[in-house]
């Protein structure tokens, strides 16, 4: 295999570049990527960028590490859309998460707007009146968060409601401390929320911790919806209602499209590829069932 790869000018390896390896969503996704690549005889190199723009730019710059890998599956955090456009066009590239395709690479993800709208509508259907959102990122590299905020707003508009701006909270990341701190702020308002849409399950876990520490009940006092369907949310107390992306399909589609780009003499047109998602209702909005 090594001899064949060398003869073809290939390494037999692909790179997967993500912002944070300690984020359960990425670790779960990586397992599926590795399995899909292995089936096709490829090894996977993994790198963590910490969202650093220069580190991320190095992977897509002209001549970047081309002897190490044949293509990149990339979840950028520090680079904006323009930076992805100004890249080495010879590098086979598939983008996950934040950025949309510019026509020269594929983008694989779920419909963040529709998913966020569904999550918010679930809270509205429960009769909640003061629904907060935790995780907005109103700057150039926060596109995924902005799409979730858009879905949050659309759900309100569709029901003839206007969301309170003071209940839409920005966070630098989608982690537990971000959720906990944002929830502290929300609870100190004169009219705190009775429901919260969190832009990740980690944010939801942090928010729930604050709610419980302040003597509030979930979901009786405040209902909580998360995003990503990570394993931690299935075993937390309470378990977390969440948007569940089809991570297996995201991974296999990304690998298939990258290998197609690697093997094609002429790069195929970039596609926007949508994986399905679903709302999974658990205890953080439905409560615990009472036996018998």
């Amino acid at each position: 295999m090594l001899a064949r790869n060398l003869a073809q000018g290939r390494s037999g390896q692909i790179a997967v570049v993500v912002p944070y390896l300690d984020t359960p969503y990425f670790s779960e996704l990586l397992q599926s990527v590795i399995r899909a690549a292995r089936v096709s005889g490829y090894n996977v190199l993994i790198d963590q960028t910490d969202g650093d723009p220069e580190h991320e730019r190095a992977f897509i710059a002209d001549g970047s590490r081309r002897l190490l890998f044949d293509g990149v599956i990339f979840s950028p955090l520090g680079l904006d859309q323009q930076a992805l456009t100004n890249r080495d066009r010879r590098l086979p590239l598939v983008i996950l998460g934040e950025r949309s395709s510019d026509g020269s690479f594929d983008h694989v993800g779920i419909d963040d707007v529709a998913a966020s709208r569904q999550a918010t509508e679930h809270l509205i259907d429960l009769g909640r009146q003061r629904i907060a959102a935790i995780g907005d990122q109103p700057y150039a590299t926060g596109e995924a968060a902005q799409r979730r905020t858009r879905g949050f707003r659309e759900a309100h508009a569709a029901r003839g409601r206007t969301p309170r701006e003071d209940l839409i909270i920005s966070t630098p990341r989608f982690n537990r401390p971000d959720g906990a701190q944002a929830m502290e702020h929300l609870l100190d308002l004169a009219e705190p929320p009775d429901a919260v849409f969190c832009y990740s399950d980690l944010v939801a876990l942090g928010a729930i911790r604050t709610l419980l520490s302040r003597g509030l009940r979930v979901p009786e006092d405040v209902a909580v919806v998360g995003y990503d369907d990570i394993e931690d949310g299935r075993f937390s107390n309470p378990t977390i209602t969440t948007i569940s992306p089809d991570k297996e399909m995201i991974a296999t589609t990304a690998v298939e499209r990258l290998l197609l780009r690697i093997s094609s003499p002429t790069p195929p047109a970039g596609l926007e590829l949508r994986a399905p998602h679903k709302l999974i209702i658990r205890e953080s909005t439905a409560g615990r069932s009472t036996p018998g």
Side-chain angles (χ1 to χ4, degrees):
M1 183 176 291
L2 177 61
R4 184 174 71 246
N5 287 337
L6 289 173
Q8 295 173 343
R10 297 177 187 164
S11 67
Q13 301 186 117
I14 62 174
V16 181
V17 183
V18 298
Y20 308 109
L21 291 172
D22 62 353
T23 301
Y25 173 81
F26 286 119
S27 61
E28 293 175 11
L29 187 67
L30 281 168
Q31 293 179 53
S32 298
V33 169
I34 290 168
R35 285 194 296 267
R38 186 179 295 144
V39 168
S40 298
Y42 270 80
N43 294 320
V44 177
L45 301 175
I46 299 169
D47 202 310
Q48 171 177 295
T49 67
D50 295 311
D52 176 61
E54 293 308 313
H55 194 148
E56 292 185 347
R57 190 173 287 108
F59 275 92
I60 59 173
D62 286 340
S64 65
R65 313 185 190 188
R66 293 297 297 274
L67 296 178
L68 291 177
F69 47 77
D70 300 325
V72 181
I73 296 173
F74 188 23
S75 182
L77 188 61
L79 298 183
D80 60 18
Q81 196 73 37
Q82 186 61 42
L84 292 176
T85 300
N86 299 331
R87 64 179 180 84
D88 183 353
R89 294 301 181 104
R90 298 167 299 171
L91 176 69
L93 179 67
V94 174
I95 296 293
L96 304 177
E98 298 278 336
R99 311 289 173 259
S100 300
S101 174
D102 67 353
S104 67
F105 56 80
D106 299 310
H107 174 254
V108 185
I110 69 170
D111 187 335
D112 275 314
V113 176
S116 302
R117 188 167 58 240
Q118 185 178 8
T120 307
E121 287 172 347
H122 172 59
L123 294 171
I124 294 173
D125 289 342
L126 292 174
R128 305 296 170 138
Q129 299 299 312
R130 301 180 306 280
I131 303 174
I134 299 178
D136 189 35
Q137 296 175 345
Y139 39 82
T141 57
E143 293 173 25
Q146 292 164 29
R147 289 193 292 267
R148 293 173 199 183
T149 302
R150 178 181 162 193
F152 175 79
R153 293 183 182 279
E154 286 185 3
H156 281 79
R159 303 298 179 88
R161 298 168 59 159
T162 302
R164 277 173 46 189
E165 295 302 317
D166 63 332
L167 296 183
I168 301 174
I169 306 301
S170 299
T171 61
R173 288 182 59 181
F174 291 167
N175 280 347
R176 295 176 185 88
D178 301 306
Q181 184 176 0
M183 196 72 245
E184 291 280 4
H185 169 77
L186 288 166
L187 292 179
D188 288 337
L189 296 175
E191 292 185 284
D194 59 4
V196 185
F197 169 42
C198 298
Y199 290 12
S200 80
D201 284 351
L202 291 181
V203 169
L205 287 168
I208 289 172
R209 173 62 182 169
T210 293
L211 288 166
L212 297 179
S213 69
R214 298 275 289 259
L216 296 169
R217 300 167 299 164
V218 178
E220 292 85 356
D221 298 317
V222 182
V224 178
V225 175
Y227 204 105
D228 289 338
D229 190 23
I230 63 173
E231 187 176 45
D232 293 25
R234 297 169 220 157
F235 293 91
S236 61
N237 186 18
T239 56
I240 296 176
T241 294
T242 187
I243 292 295
S244 178
D246 190 334
K247 291 189 277 287
E248 189 71 26
M249 180 173 285
I250 292 172
T252 55
T253 301
V255 171
E256 288 170 1
R257 290 297 300 180
L258 185 64
L259 297 187
L260 175 63
R261 290 185 167 278
I262 290 170
S263 62
S264 298
T266 302
L271 299 177
E272 279 288 338
L273 299 160
R274 293 277 172 82
H277 69 271
K278 58 185 176 182
L279 175 70
I280 298 179
I281 298 174
R282 299 194 181 110
E283 294 169 351
S284 67
T285 61
R288 295 169 178 79
S289 58
T290 303

